[in-house]
């Protein structure tokens, strides 16, 4: 009988969460490779129970995995399989299929080799680039290697102090700087007599590796005279910011209480301000915070209000959302109808159900046509009559009978969902929107006035919020000419200071920050982005991962040719 032994394996030098993966997906993979062992994770150690030989073998493989991570800075499912199959820590890094890089000159490549050196060389001459992949797939390692490759290229390299690298936290910025310095130390050790690498390490001290907040604070402080503010401003702490916000909002609302308008009376009634005005105040602050994430808060608020003043509801943004939802339901229903016809064809149910589901399919086609042509009233009429026909009855023991009955029920429920929001004709809905337009317009005006008053309250005391500082920074970088956003002279000057702008965790940036990065990279001409939309968790703070998708999707997918 094999003796069972217990062993504790310490995970040193690595955050265990990096090895275990999101929701322990890598840990579960590792456990599946050793079903004979009982493996329990406890913080930075693994408790392992099993035969001595199997336990020792597992310990060696874990050491190999940790060594791999320390060397290459990431792991993946593929790495785990290879590592536990025989160990790969001392070998060349395997192909990582999760990282894709897009270049705007058509060169699209994958990370392939030790420290992704070949990858970096292939896209050294591209400008706008993307590294896309899930957690642990090596995106940040790609960014690091790109930096090292660019500053260590003796013929076509760039100075380390001409880089702008933006990370999401101060800790990440420090880690990035240390990673790059460590890679330069390796080059210096390899060629101690080469002064080029030593010079780059010295220049690295002046490289702008920071958070977006830090970059904006420095920019605004440096150009304070253009903004008419004190160079000694401070970032308002939460308590002082809240106090200033309350004071500003009370001032704005006092004017409306003193001279109420029709729109404000409607707003007061909706929020029940006679009993408690806090609900209205909270909503104003919430929309204000959302507006400050936009590249042009005033325009965003104006457009939000004008959506209620539409001349054609069917062409409005409201209708677009509803049409899109309806099309998804109708597409799913058409698939169900097609499947039902296929299932009953050739059975005793065919004569009864094929014609009926064919008529359902025809009705769904008409509804989709109404959607595609944005015929709101046509969709309303079809939805009204779409559920009136009852499914045919038939005596049969065929088990398919209950299946097709459920399919009919599914189609009926989807049409009913469409009917829930397509319940009035276009003119009626347009009239309803225009009735509340004065209220919405008033609300947006209040938010706009509060924004100005809040800024004045804080700036008078030499304080600003991070959001206000970012807005000032963007104002320095962009001008509005005939309704179009164009780079300012300062933006053009700053673009000449940086040969490359690199941004980590791009999916967590908002619209304002997206505009900032394009402004300082010559509107995207020297921009490198790293991100994964599935990891976007800051929507409550205005993060818009759609910006990353928009930029990425403007380029072709990897076709295997590079």
């Amino acid at each position: 009988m094999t003796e069972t032994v217990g062993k504790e394996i310490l995970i040193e030098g690595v955050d265990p969460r990096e090895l275990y993966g999101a929701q322990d997906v890598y840990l579960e993979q590792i456990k599946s490779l050793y079903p004979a062992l009982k493996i329990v994770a406890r913080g930075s150690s693994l408790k392992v129970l099993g035969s001595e030989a199997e336990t020792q073998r597992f310990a060696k493989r874990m050491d190999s995995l940790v060594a791999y991570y320390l060397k290459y800075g990431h792991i993946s499912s593929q790495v785990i399989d290879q590592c536990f199959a025989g160990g790969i820590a001392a070998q060349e890094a395997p192909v990582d299929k999760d990282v894709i890089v897009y270049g705007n000159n058509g060169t699209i490549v994958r990370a392939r080799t030790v420290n992704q050196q070949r990858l970096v060389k292939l896209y050294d001459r591209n400008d706008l680039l993307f590294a896309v992949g899930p957690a642990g797939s090596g995106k940040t390692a790609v960014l690091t290697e790109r930096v090292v490759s660019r500053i260590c290229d003796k013929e076509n390299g760039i100075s380390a102090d001409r880089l702008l690298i933006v990370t999401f936290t101060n800790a990440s910025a420090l880690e990035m700087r240390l990673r790059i310095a460590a890679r330069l130390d390796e080059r210096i050790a390899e060629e101690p007599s080469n002064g080029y690498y030593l010079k780059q390490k010295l220049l690295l001290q002046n490289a702008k590796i920071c958070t977006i907040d830090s970059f904006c604070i420095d920019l605004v402080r440096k150009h304070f005279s253009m903004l008419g503010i004190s160079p000694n401003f401070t970032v308002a702490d939460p308590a002082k910011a809240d106090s200033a916000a309350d004071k500003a909002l009370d001032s704005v609302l006092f004017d409306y209480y003193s001279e109420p308008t029709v729109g404000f009376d409607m707003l007061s009634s909706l929020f029940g301000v006679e009993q408690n005005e806090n609900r209205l105040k909270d909503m104003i602050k919430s929309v204000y915070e959302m507006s400050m994430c936009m590249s042009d808060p005033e325009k965003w608020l104006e457009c939000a209000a004008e959506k209620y003043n539409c001349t054609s509801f069917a062409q409005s943004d409201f209708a677009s959302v509803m049409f899109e939802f309806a099309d998804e339901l109708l597409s799913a229903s058409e698939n169900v109808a097609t499947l039902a016809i296929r299932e009953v064809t050739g059975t005793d149910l065919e004569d009864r159900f094929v014609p009926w589901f064919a008529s359902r399919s025809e009705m769904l086609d008409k509804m989709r046509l109404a959607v595609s042509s944005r015929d709101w009233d046509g969709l309303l009429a079809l939805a009204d009559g779409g559920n009136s026909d009852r499914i045919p009855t038939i005596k049969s023991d065929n088990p398919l009978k209950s299946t097709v009955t459920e399919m009919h029920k599914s189609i009926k429920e989807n049409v009913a969902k469409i009917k829930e929001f397509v319940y009035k004709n276009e003119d009626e809905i347009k009239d309803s929107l225009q009735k509340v337009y004065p209220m919405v317009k008033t609300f947006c005006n209040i938010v706009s006035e509060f924004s100005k008053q809040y800024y004045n309250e804080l700036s008078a005391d030499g304080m600003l919020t991070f959001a206000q500082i970012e807005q000032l920074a963007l104002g320095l970088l962009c001008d509005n000419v005939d309704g179009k956003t164009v780079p300012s002279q300062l933006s053009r000057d700053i673009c000449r200071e940086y040969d490359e702008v690199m941004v980590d965790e791009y999916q967590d940036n908002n619209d304002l920050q997206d505009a900032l990065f394009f402004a300082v990279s010559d509107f995207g001409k020297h921009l490198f982005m790293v991100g994964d939309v599935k990891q976007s968790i800051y929507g409550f703070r205005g993060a818009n991962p759609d910006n990353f998708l928009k930029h990425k999707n403007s380029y072709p997918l990897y076709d295997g040719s590079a």
Side-chain angles (χ1 to χ4, degrees):
M1 183 176 179
T2 304
E3 182 181 359
T4 299
V5 299
K7 184 176 179 63
E8 181 177 8
I9 301 173
L10 295 178
I11 309 297
E12 297 180 319
V14 178
D15 185 342
R17 292 171 296 182
E18 297 287 345
L19 293 185
Y20 300 160
Q23 299 181 337
D24 291 340
V25 61
Y26 292 155
L27 179 61
E28 293 304 316
Q29 180 184 352
I30 291 169
K31 287 180 179 180
S32 70
L33 296 173
Y34 282 82
L37 296 178
K38 180 175 178 57
I39 304 170
V40 179
R42 289 287 185 269
S44 60
S45 68
L46 287 175
K47 307 283 187 179
V48 185
L49 190 66
S51 70
E52 183 174 5
E54 193 77 349
T55 301
Q56 291 293 342
R57 199 159 31 244
F58 175 80
K60 289 181 179 179
R61 295 293 182 259
M62 279 303 301
D63 287 344
S64 176
L65 184 64
V66 171
Y68 180 92
Y69 181 85
L70 291 173
K71 184 172 183 179
Y72 300 112
H74 78 282
I75 61 170
S76 64
S77 179
Q78 180 188 9
V79 167
I80 292 172
D81 281 339
Q82 294 188 34
C83 197
F84 280 85
I88 60 171
Q91 300 176 15
E92 181 178 313
V95 175
D96 188 337
K97 297 181 179 179
D98 291 327
V99 178
I100 306 174
V101 178
Y102 301 77
N104 67 353
N105 64 6
T107 303
I108 305 166
V109 296
R110 296 178 186 271
R112 294 188 182 279
T113 62
V114 176
N115 293 318
Q116 291 126 344
Q117 290 278 351
R118 295 178 196 165
L119 164 68
V120 178
K121 290 178 181 178
L122 280 170
Y123 62 55
D124 264 347
R125 298 299 172 263
N126 293 317
D127 293 324
L128 181 60
L129 299 166
F130 304 88
V132 185
S137 59
K139 301 182 298 299
T140 303
V142 169
L143 189 153
T144 302
E145 285 307 313
R146 176 169 175 82
V147 173
V148 173
S149 175
R150 295 287 278 142
I151 65 179
C152 289
D153 187 337
K154 299 173 187 176
E155 295 182 3
N156 300 297
I158 60 178
S159 294
D161 59 347
R162 290 184 59 79
L163 288 171
L164 171 59
I165 304 173
V166 182
T167 64
F168 203 67
T169 66
N170 288 321
S172 298
L174 176 60
E175 181 183 2
M176 180 68 68
R177 190 181 295 273
L178 292 175
R179 281 189 183 189
I180 298 169
R183 296 287 288 111
L184 282 172
D185 284 339
E186 292 177 11
R187 297 293 182 97
I188 294 170
E190 292 170 1
E191 300 180 50
S193 61
N194 191 322
Y196 178 82
Y197 298 136
L198 183 58
K199 177 184 176 182
Q200 289 289 47
K201 187 174 181 183
L202 292 173
L203 291 173
L204 182 64
Q205 299 176 33
N206 297 321
K208 198 73 172 175
I209 304 176
C210 59
T211 63
I212 183 65
D213 289 333
S214 176
F215 174 79
C216 290
I217 289 172
D218 289 348
L219 180 66
V220 170
R221 203 180 298 283
K222 184 177 180 180
H223 301 283
F224 71 95
S225 60
M226 297 175 65
L227 298 166
I229 62 174
S230 167
N232 300 317
F233 70 85
T234 60
V235 177
D237 65 58
K240 291 180 179 178
D242 288 344
S243 176
D246 289 337
K247 185 177 179 181
L249 192 49
D250 286 340
S251 175
V252 171
L253 289 177
F254 179 81
D255 292 339
Y256 279 90
Y257 286 134
S258 301
E259 299 181 17
T261 62
V262 173
F264 188 71
D265 285 341
M266 295 172 67
L267 196 62
S268 298
S269 176
L270 177 66
F271 283 91
V273 296
E274 289 187 2
Q275 289 75 35
N276 190 336
E277 65 177 3
N278 287 336
R279 286 179 58 230
L280 175 59
K281 286 184 172 181
D282 290 343
M283 182 59 70
I284 292 169
K285 291 177 181 178
S286 178
V287 174
Y288 162 76
E289 290 174 359
M290 189 179 301
S291 72
M292 292 296 282
C293 295
M294 306 300 164
S295 57
D296 189 339
E298 287 289 319
K299 184 176 180 181
W300 182 80
L301 287 167
E302 181 182 345
C303 290
E306 291 307 312
K307 292 180 190 295
Y308 290 80
N309 193 30
C310 58
T311 55
S312 171
F313 174 73
Q315 303 303 318
S316 69
D317 290 342
F318 294 119
S320 294
V321 174
M322 297 177 184
F323 279 137
E324 183 178 353
F325 179 59
D327 192 59
E328 291 177 0
L329 292 174
L330 293 170
S331 177
S333 297
E334 283 189 330
N335 291 336
V336 171
T338 300
L339 179 61
I341 292 173
R342 187 186 308 149
E343 290 292 324
V344 300
T345 298
T347 72
D348 60 330
L349 305 177
E350 180 176 357
D351 291 343
R352 283 277 191 169
F353 287 107
V354 167
W356 192 87
F357 275 105
S359 68
R360 297 295 87 194
S361 184
E362 182 179 353
M363 180 268 294
L364 295 170
D365 282 340
K366 290 179 180 178
M367 293 182 74
R368 291 198 77 181
L369 180 61
V371 168
S372 63
S373 60
R374 302 183 76 91
D375 181 1
W376 182 268
D377 290 346
L379 181 61
L380 172 63
L382 290 165
D384 274 336
N387 277 352
S388 58
D389 294 341
R390 301 185 61 173
I391 191 170
T393 57
I394 184 174
K395 291 183 178 180
S396 174
D397 295 329
N398 193 323
L400 278 176
K401 181 181 176 182
S402 61
T403 301
V404 295
T405 300
E406 287 300 315
M407 290 179 171
H408 156 71
K409 183 180 178 181
S410 172
I411 295 173
K412 188 172 183 178
E413 288 175 348
N414 283 346
V415 174
K417 289 178 182 176
I418 294 174
K419 177 60 181 171
E420 286 178 7
F421 58 82
V422 186
Y423 61 93
K424 289 183 179 180
N425 65 41
E426 183 176 355
D427 288 338
E428 289 174 325
I429 295 179
K430 185 176 71 174
D431 290 344
S432 297
L433 290 174
Q434 289 183 337
K435 284 179 181 178
V436 299
Y437 170 67
M439 178 183 69
V440 177
K441 182 68 173 177
T442 299
F443 178 83
C444 290
N445 287 341
I446 291 174
V447 175
S448 179
E449 291 172 33
F450 164 68
S451 177
K452 296 182 180 71
Q453 187 68 22
Y454 183 32
Y455 174 84
N456 291 338
E457 288 287 343
L458 284 175
S459 60
D461 292 330
M463 296 183 294
L464 295 169
T465 65
F466 283 122
Q468 290 168 343
I469 293 169
E470 287 184 355
Q471 287 290 345
L472 291 174
L474 185 60
L476 288 169
L477 298 172
C478 298
D479 291 332
N480 191 303
V481 178
D482 297 329
K484 295 182 179 180
T485 300
V486 297
S488 66
Q489 182 58 52
L490 177 60
S491 172
R492 290 190 285 269
D493 292 342
I494 290 175
C495 287
R496 286 192 284 269
E497 294 179 14
Y498 302 113
D499 290 323
E500 193 151 342
V501 178
M502 303 179 175
V503 185
D504 202 4
E505 305 294 357
Y506 204 93
Q507 77 280 350
D508 288 325
N509 291 306
N510 58 37
D511 289 2
L512 181 154
Q513 292 161 347
D514 179 62
L516 271 169
F517 291 132
F518 269 72
V520 297
S521 63
D522 199 6
F523 279 68
K525 292 181 180 178
H526 307 290
L527 183 60
F528 181 95
M529 309 177 199
V530 169
D532 173 19
V533 293
K534 295 188 291 297
Q535 293 184 66
S536 182
I537 58 174
Y538 291 101
F540 67 95
R541 289 197 336 207
N544 185 3
D546 286 344
N547 287 323
F548 187 58
L549 284 177
K550 176 185 67 178
H551 301 317
K552 180 182 77 71
N553 291 339
S554 64
Y555 291 84
L557 289 174
Y558 174 70
D559 61 6
S561 60

